[in-house]
Coordinates of all heavy atoms in Angstrom, one line a residue:
G65 N 95.9 154.3 30.7 CA 96.0 154.5 29.2 C 97.2 155.2 28.8 O 98.3 155.2 29.4
T66 N 97.2 155.7 27.6 CA 98.4 156.6 27.1 C 98.4 157.9 27.9 O 97.4 158.3 28.6 CB 98.2 156.9 25.6 OG1 97.1 157.7 25.4 CG2 98.1 155.6 24.9
A67 N 99.5 158.5 27.9 CA 99.6 159.9 28.5 C 98.6 160.9 28.0 O 97.8 161.6 28.9 CB 101.0 160.4 28.3
Y68 N 98.4 160.8 26.7 CA 97.3 161.8 26.2 C 95.9 161.4 26.7 O 95.2 162.4 27.1 CB 97.2 161.7 24.7 CG 96.1 162.4 24.0 CD1 96.2 163.9 24.0 CD2 95.0 161.8 23.5 CE1 95.0 164.6 23.4 CE2 94.1 162.5 22.9 CZ 94.0 163.9 22.9 OH 93.0 164.6 22.3
Q69 N 95.5 160.1 26.7 CA 94.2 159.7 27.2 C 94.0 160.1 28.7 O 93.0 160.6 29.1 CB 94.0 158.3 27.2 CG 93.8 157.8 25.8 CD 93.8 156.2 25.6 OE1 94.5 155.6 26.4 NE2 93.2 155.7 24.8
S70 N 95.0 160.0 29.5 CA 95.0 160.2 30.9 C 94.8 161.7 31.2 O 94.0 162.1 32.0 CB 96.2 159.8 31.7 OG 96.2 158.3 31.6
A71 N 95.7 162.5 30.4 CA 95.5 164.0 30.7 C 94.3 164.5 30.2 O 93.6 165.5 30.9 CB 96.7 164.6 29.8
M72 N 93.8 164.1 29.0 CA 92.5 164.7 28.6 C 91.4 164.2 29.5 O 90.4 164.9 29.8 CB 92.2 164.2 27.1 CG 91.0 164.9 26.4 SD 91.1 166.6 26.3 CE 92.1 166.8 24.9
S73 N 91.4 163.0 29.9 CA 90.4 162.5 30.8 C 90.3 163.3 32.1 O 89.3 163.5 32.6 CB 90.6 161.0 31.1 OG 90.4 160.1 30.0
M74 N 91.5 163.5 32.6 CA 91.5 164.3 33.9 C 91.0 165.7 33.7 O 90.3 166.2 34.6 CB 92.9 164.4 34.5 CG 93.0 164.9 35.9 SD 91.9 164.2 37.1 CE 92.8 162.7 37.5
L75 N 91.3 166.4 32.6 CA 90.7 167.7 32.3 C 89.3 167.6 32.1 O 88.5 168.5 32.6 CB 91.4 168.1 31.0 CG 91.1 169.6 30.6 CD1 91.2 170.7 31.8 CD2 91.8 170.1 29.3
N76 N 88.7 166.6 31.3 CA 87.2 166.6 31.2 C 86.6 166.2 32.5 O 85.6 166.7 32.9 CB 87.0 165.4 30.2 CG 87.1 165.9 28.7 OD1 86.6 167.1 28.5 ND2 87.7 165.2 28.0
F77 N 87.2 165.4 33.4 CA 86.7 165.0 34.7 C 86.6 166.3 35.5 O 85.4 166.5 36.1 CB 87.7 164.0 35.3 CG 87.3 163.6 36.7 CD1 86.2 162.8 37.0 CD2 88.0 164.2 37.8 CE1 85.9 162.5 38.3 CE2 87.7 163.9 39.0 CZ 86.6 163.1 39.3
Y78 N 87.5 167.1 35.5 CA 87.6 168.2 36.4 C 86.4 169.2 35.7 O 85.5 169.8 36.7 CB 88.8 169.0 36.3 CG 88.8 170.2 37.2 CD1 88.9 170.2 38.6 CD2 88.5 171.4 36.8 CE1 88.8 171.2 39.5 CE2 88.5 172.6 37.5 CZ 88.6 172.4 38.9 OH 88.5 173.5 39.8
I79 N 86.3 169.4 34.6 CA 85.3 170.3 34.0 C 83.9 169.8 34.3 O 83.0 170.4 34.8 CB 85.4 170.4 32.4 CG1 86.7 171.1 32.1 CG2 84.2 171.1 31.9 CD1 87.2 171.2 30.7
N80 N 83.7 168.5 34.1 CA 82.3 167.8 34.4 C 82.0 167.9 35.8 O 80.9 168.1 36.3 CB 82.3 166.4 33.9 CG 82.3 166.3 32.3 OD1 82.1 167.4 31.7 ND2 82.9 165.3 31.8
R81 N 82.9 167.6 36.7 CA 82.6 167.5 38.2 C 82.5 168.9 38.7 O 81.7 169.1 39.7 CB 83.8 166.8 38.9 CG 83.8 165.3 38.6 CD 82.5 164.6 38.6 NE 81.8 164.6 39.9 CZ 80.6 164.3 40.1 NH1 79.9 163.9 39.0 NH2 80.0 164.3 41.2
A82 N 83.3 169.9 38.3 CA 83.1 171.3 38.8 C 81.8 171.8 38.3 O 81.1 172.6 39.2 CB 84.2 172.1 38.3
G83 N 81.2 171.5 37.3 CA 79.9 171.8 36.8 C 79.5 173.4 37.0 O 80.2 174.1 36.4

Side-chain angles (χ1 to χ4, degrees):
T66 66
Y68 173 74
Q69 288 171 329
S70 293
M72 189 61 78
S73 292
M74 188 54 77
L75 182 54
N76 281 318
F77 173 77
Y78 183 80
I79 292 169
N80 292 339
R81 295 310 302 167

